[in-house]
Amino acid sequence: MSHSVLFRDIAFFTSAADESGLPPSRGEVAIAGRSNAGKSSAINALAQRHRLAFVSKTPGRTQQINFFSLGAERFLVDLPGYGYAKVPLGMRNEWEQLISGYLQLRPQLRGLMVVMDIRHPMKDLDRQLLSWFESTGKPAHVLLAKADKFGRQQAVEQLRNTTKILAADFPGVSVQLFSAQSKTGIDEAEAVLNRWYAPD
Ligand code: GDP
């Protein structure tokens, strides 16, 4: 497979623990998901780098917003995973403030990708995230990740279900099948990203 032009020069750039840590940017796309949904694997598969996104899992960075530079002051923004049962309430509130603030108030943010495990999509916090972002009028796209966990027919069925739920609750949000393992849906996701990063 050829290297995508978009991610040719991708490199970890910085982590932000609060609004003051956000770097100057000319355009960025955020990627979010429940912990363990397959977000890091998705980023790595899209970038065709094996360990790139796992810097976001190093101690001290898991609750931060991690910026990957694409060159020309454009960024792929890895939002902290959510949905850990063990997370204390105070931390949950901090997460809410940081993420809702970032999603709603960042002018450079062009679009949001939400990674969901195909076996259990559209959980409460996924919906929370989509509803924060909905108010901006900017585009969002769902990756139904680990699609290889299902057979083809079951995967297509889940895609159809999720498409229906989105059309009812979050009209305009698109969705696709994705698998970092079997490399399903990479071109489709990349096309969405290319569209969002393209200058107006
Ligand atoms: P994150 O916490 O959302 O960043 O999730 P990770 O990318 O770390 O993946 C969580 C777990 O799911 C790991 O054990 C991965 O190996 C596994 N996983 C991720 N993507 C896929 C996939 O496409 N197919 C399968 N079968 N497993 C995957």
Side-chain angles (χ1 to χ4, degrees):
M1 200 192 306
S2 67
H3 246 67
S4 78
V5 174
L6 184 58
F7 291 124
R8 194 181 50 205
D9 297 321
I10 192 167
F12 178 72
F13 188 76
T14 193
S15 294
D18 53 43
E19 207 188 320
S20 70
L22 302 175
S25 165
R26 301 186 57 182
E28 60 203 40
V29 168
I31 182 161
R34 291 170 58 81
S35 301
N36 223 38
K39 174 168 58 79
S40 304
S41 302
I43 295 172
N44 289 330
L46 286 163
Q48 298 173 48
R49 301 280 212 284
H50 285 305
R51 310 260 337 140
L52 180 75
F54 289 110
V55 294
S56 308
K57 296 199 169 193
T58 55
R61 291 221 163 98
T62 56
Q63 291 304 312
Q64 305 197 357
I65 299 181
N66 293 299
F67 282 75
F68 294 91
S69 168
L70 306 181
E73 290 191 321
R74 291 179 313 166
F75 296 93
L76 181 66
V77 180
D78 186 5
L79 298 180
Y82 48 85
Y84 265 132
K86 289 182 292 238
V87 170
L89 192 63
M91 207 160 167
R92 168 93 193 263
N93 291 340
E94 237 170 74
W95 175 84
E96 284 195 8
Q97 286 221 343
L98 179 64
I99 304 308
S100 67
Y102 171 76
L103 289 177
Q104 294 177 328
L105 301 172
R106 180 78 166 164
Q108 297 96 329
L109 181 58
R110 303 268 183 89
L112 172 68
M113 282 215 170
V114 185
V115 179
M116 301 180 193
D117 189 317
I118 191 166
R119 295 167 296 180
H120 33 82
M122 298 299 285
K123 297 286 205 185
D124 285 354
L125 288 171
D126 298 323
R127 289 173 170 277
Q128 173 78 87
L129 209 73
L130 287 171
S131 64
W132 283 330
F133 196 60
E134 193 177 36
S135 65
T136 67
K138 295 174 188 175
H141 184 72
V142 172
L143 302 183
L144 290 179
K146 311 189 197 180
D148 60 280
K149 294 271 189 191
F150 279 175
R152 181 68 199 167
Q153 203 178 330
Q154 201 183 1
V156 169
E157 180 69 16
Q158 184 69 302
L159 176 62
R160 199 177 299 132
N161 287 339
T162 310
T163 302
K164 248 186 243 164
I165 291 167
L166 285 169
D169 297 350
F170 298 97
V173 175
S174 48
V175 56
Q176 66 160 97
L177 298 176
F178 191 91
S179 167
Q181 185 169 296
S182 62
K183 312 285 183 220
T184 307
I186 290 184
D187 290 353
E188 195 178 346
E190 216 175 88
V192 172
L193 290 168
N194 273 314
R195 214 161 52 234
W196 289 352
Y197 280 113
D200 304 307

